[in-house]
Amino acid sequence: MADRDQLGRTAKEAAGRVDKQAVSGPSFRFRLERVRAVRERKEKLAQQELARSISRLSSTREELRSAEEVLERAQDEQRSAAGPVGAAELQSRQAFLERIEARRTVSELDVTRGEAEVADRNADLVVAAGEHEMLNRLRDRRRGEHERESMRRENKVLDEMAARARGSAA
């Protein structure tokens, strides 16, 4: 007898689950979720790469400012040199100035390359963010469609139940 009652309850619970499943339908599942997650990760990596590029550019600009300051000091020292200076001294000072100018030129090129890298990383980020946002919008649209379809099914079941109730009351 207890087994029969247990079986009856289990059958009713299973029927309740089936009815609930029939009304609400399957839960929402975005089929491109893995792709969306990969695009999200790609966007975050692009953000990190852009941040590193900006940091390197900042360091390179600081190196350029430092090289320019050293060059200015060296030029000022050469102009303010007191007394007669020999040819060897002039040559060594000129060589020193040329080395500093070469270092400054290299720093300028590094800044230019750094700016180009930042622009490239920014473009990569814009593309990655666009792809991620596109998949987010698609997911949201599909979720809305799923919810509308679930509501439609639920309303249909409720209408059928109401029609049965009206029929049995008459």
Side-chain angles (χ1 to χ4, degrees):
M1 180 78 100
D3 289 336
R4 209 178 295 173
D5 289 340
Q6 180 66 26
L7 261 174
R9 274 193 306 240
T10 307
K12 287 179 185 176
E13 289 171 1
R17 271 187 258 130
V18 170
D19 287 345
K20 188 175 183 181
Q21 180 90 15
V23 171
S24 65
S27 62
F28 175 72
R29 184 178 167 298
F30 184 54
R31 292 182 182 175
L32 296 173
E33 183 58 33
R34 288 184 186 151
V35 175
R36 191 203 63 76
V38 167
R39 298 287 165 84
E40 181 179 24
R41 178 75 179 132
K42 185 177 176 183
E43 179 184 9
K44 287 180 181 178
L45 288 173
Q47 288 173 343
Q48 291 170 354
E49 285 296 319
L50 177 61
R52 281 193 282 274
S53 294
I54 290 171
S55 177
R56 283 191 298 269
L57 177 60
S58 177
S59 297
T60 305
R61 283 182 174 158
E62 186 58 38
E63 289 173 14
L64 175 60
R65 276 191 291 276
S66 175
E68 287 174 344
E69 288 173 5
V70 169
L71 179 62
E72 272 185 45
R73 279 195 306 263
Q75 287 172 338
D76 287 345
E77 287 175 13
Q78 189 168 1
R79 279 187 223 114
S80 65
V85 180
E89 179 70 19
L90 283 175
Q91 285 179 337
S92 67
R93 286 182 182 184
Q94 186 61 34
F96 178 70
L97 281 176
E98 288 173 2
R99 280 193 308 270
I100 293 173
E101 287 174 350
R103 190 178 319 148
R104 186 178 127 290
T105 302
V106 168
S107 292
E108 283 178 338
L109 291 173
D110 288 345
V111 166
T112 303
R113 278 191 291 263
E115 289 170 345
E117 182 183 358
V118 166
D120 289 345
R121 297 292 179 236
N122 192 40
D124 292 345
L125 176 58
V126 167
V127 169
E131 290 172 350
H132 179 220
E133 181 60 29
M134 174 195 62
L135 284 169
N136 281 340
R137 284 192 308 256
L138 179 62
R139 180 190 59 194
D140 294 343
R141 186 174 32 170
R142 294 274 168 85
R143 179 177 283 129
E145 291 169 358
H146 175 80
E147 288 172 0
R148 284 190 295 279
E149 180 61 23
S150 293
M151 291 296 289
R152 187 192 63 74
R153 270 184 288 194
E154 189 174 324
N155 286 337
K156 183 179 176 182
V157 168
L158 290 173
D159 288 347
E160 288 173 4
M161 289 172 61
R164 276 190 232 139
R166 275 187 248 122
S168 64

